[in-house]
Amino acid sequence: MRSSIWKYFLGPLALAGGRLPERTQRAWSRRAHLMMHHTWLLVLGAVLLIAGLAAAAFYYGSRPTALTFAVPGTNTEDVRLVQALAAQFVRDRASIRLKPDTVPGPAQSAAAIDDETADLAVVRSDLPMPKSGLAVAVLRQNVVVMIVPAAGSEAKAKPAKAANGQAKTSGRSGKSEKIEKIEDLPGRRIGIIGRGSTPNNTEVLNVILRQYEIPPDKVTIVPIDSENVRAALRKDPVDVIVTVGPVTSRYITDAIASASTDKEQPTFIAIGAAEAIASRLPAYESAELKEGVFGGKKPLPDDSVETIAFNHYIVARRGLSESRVSDFTRQLFGVRQALQHDYPAIAKIEKPDTDKDAAVQAHPGAAAYLDNDQKTFFDRYSDLLYWSMIAMGFLGSAITWVASYTKADERIRRMRVIEYLLDVVRKARIAQTFEEIERLRTEVDEVLKRTLREVEHNELDEPALMAFSLALDQAQLALSDRRSTLAARGMQERIETVPAAGAAAAASGLHASGAETASTEAMPLRFAAKAAEQG
């Protein structure tokens, strides 16, 4: 059984078409036997193996994790902010690193989460959210600001002239050119600020128009580049400017400046049905432009204005582990102070709604950190530690069983040797010829040689060696006694066939010789060498 086991382990190491040299096989077998005789070495090896695996797992787990972050290229401020976050994480040697991935627009950003080509993404709540995306943070709140340029400003469209040179009315009976509410928008030129996101912002305007039952085709949409607001408005003036973004956005400031004159400031249109829109469409929420939020010589607006808003979210894949999302959330909120001077918008990052009935569900990892319910090391790996301890118990039992099995095999083999020597004693006592005695002695000598080799290789312990020595002494003594008995018997037969005097003398001489031989052969093995020296 054991030899087949060693062949199994040594077989793959044999050269192609041949076998390992016999000397190498013996050396390896000898080392394996030594290992099996020292259970503590096996236990120590198992402990070192487990410690090595644990160290490797710790090293692998402590390496920085790179997460791909999809960000729409339509908003350069978002791109710069994500790049700044990535750079700051590297400077802080954080456990989470970011790989910014600029995509064409918000729709592609959401698709990257569903396609699993990105781990994190910036998405808009007014557009279809990714099915496998969960909120990590509110990047910013976007409010809808509807600005009516002051008369004479560079952004104000010039009224059409009638034949008599007077300004035309809006086409409705009794209605002037002044725009005070949303119901005055039909027939107007509406400029929508945006870059690649202009179609998305147009949809926001359409939501408002549908709420007031104004067909979208009753207004004229004029796209305005968010990077060159004033130049675009000078070139193509409008009646109303619609902006969608944070109240601190640069393009809102540019739009207000373009819609103002030295003597007159623009006005703002309130969305009175904001709460109704928010109730009907959960992606939107009712908001308010606080009095004086835009500043200026005369703070604008001069009174609070009701409007609607929606959020830009940072979302993570549902399949991303809670620990990684939790670490990213901690790092995100931790670097706000360091980046706030260069990127003021980062101060507006807020925690998402972590309630289970939230419109946009929060990622469990982010919710755990934000709600101070983050799992500790033992909470996170308690199951792993529990099963590891069970596995170590099974492994220890297996090692003990292997060691016991090997030792049991050795004990059986040694017992067979002792039983063989005892069988030699039995055969020696009934041997009828000197040839049988010599054959048994030769076999005993071979057993002695093999045992001496095992002693040389430290393969026998003290109790086994003592038992073997005792059995060998008995075998040697039995062979010597039987040899003497056969010699005496032969002498007796010869005496009966020779004259009495000569027979007596011969019998006396042979008896003395046989007795001396028997005495020498019966001497125990451990005194043989000493007796030889004295002889």
Side-chain angles (χ1 to χ4, degrees), residues 21 35 44 55 80-81 94 127 137 160 175 211 230 232 249 274 317 325 335 384 405 419 430-431 445 459 498 510 521:
M35 284 290 293
L44 178 61
R80 288 195 294 266
L81 179 60
L127 297 179
K175 202 165 256 221
Q211 180 66 31
R230 302 195 67 169
S249 297
R317 281 191 301 107
V325 175
V335 301
L384 179 61
Y405 174 80
E419 289 175 358
I430 61 175
D445 290 341
E459 295 180 0
V498 297
L510 289 175
E521 291 180 351

Side-chain angles (χ1 to χ4, degrees), residues 125-295:
S125 64
D126 64 319
L127 297 179
M129 295 286 287
K131 296 178 182 178
S132 60
L134 299 175
V136 174
V138 177
L139 180 60
R140 64 175 180 274
Q141 185 186 58
N142 303 285
V143 295
V144 177
V145 182
M146 305 184 74
I147 306 170
V148 179
S153 64
E154 61 184 13
K156 179 65 175 176
K158 302 299 186 288
K161 297 291 184 178
N164 58 2
Q166 299 295 321
K168 282 186 178 180
T169 63
S170 62
R172 286 192 187 178
S173 176
K175 202 165 256 221
S176 66
E177 291 290 333
K178 190 173 182 181
I179 303 174
E180 296 179 341
K181 54 186 181 298
I182 293 179
E183 288 83 347
D184 298 331
L185 293 182
R188 309 294 183 171
R189 289 169 54 85
I190 300 178
I192 298 181
I193 297 178
R195 206 168 189 179
S197 61
T198 299
N200 300 324
N201 293 343
T202 302
E203 180 57 30
V204 176
L205 175 61
N206 291 337
V207 168
I208 299 171
L209 295 177
R210 284 194 292 267
Q211 180 66 31
Y212 286 87
E213 298 183 350
I214 299 175
D217 58 358
K218 294 296 183 179
V219 298
T220 302
I221 302 299
V222 180
I224 300 173
D225 187 0
S226 60
E227 298 296 323
N228 300 284
V229 173
R230 302 195 67 169
L233 288 173
R234 279 196 298 267
K235 181 179 179 181
D236 202 356
V238 295
D239 297 311
V240 178
I241 303 172
V242 176
T243 67
V244 180
V247 293
T248 57
S249 297
R250 174 184 49 79
Y251 48 82
I252 292 182
T253 302
D254 291 345
I256 292 175
S258 183
S260 304
T261 64
D262 294 337
K263 296 181 180 181
E264 192 175 353
Q265 291 181 314
T267 58
F268 298 87
I269 301 177
I271 305 176
E275 291 187 3
I277 294 175
S279 299
R280 187 166 55 89
L281 301 172
Y284 298 95
E285 58 187 71
S286 177
E288 189 178 61
L289 299 175
K290 299 296 184 180
E291 178 182 352
V293 69
F294 298 121

Side-chain angles (χ1 to χ4, degrees), residues 58-77:
F58 176 78
Y59 170 76
Y60 178 80
S62 61
R63 291 188 307 168
T65 301
L67 302 180
T68 303
F69 200 139
V71 54
T74 53
N75 192 315
T76 56
E77 292 181 3

Side-chain angles (χ1 to χ4, degrees), residues 512-524:
S513 175
E516 181 179 357
T517 302
S519 176
T520 303
E521 291 180 351
M523 189 177 298

Side-chain angles (χ1 to χ4, degrees), residues 48 56 170 178 239 272 309 379 411 413 423 437 441 501:
L48 292 177
S170 62
K178 190 173 182 181
D239 297 311
D379 292 335
R411 285 193 295 270
R413 186 178 62 81
D423 188 58
I437 297 295
R441 185 183 296 278

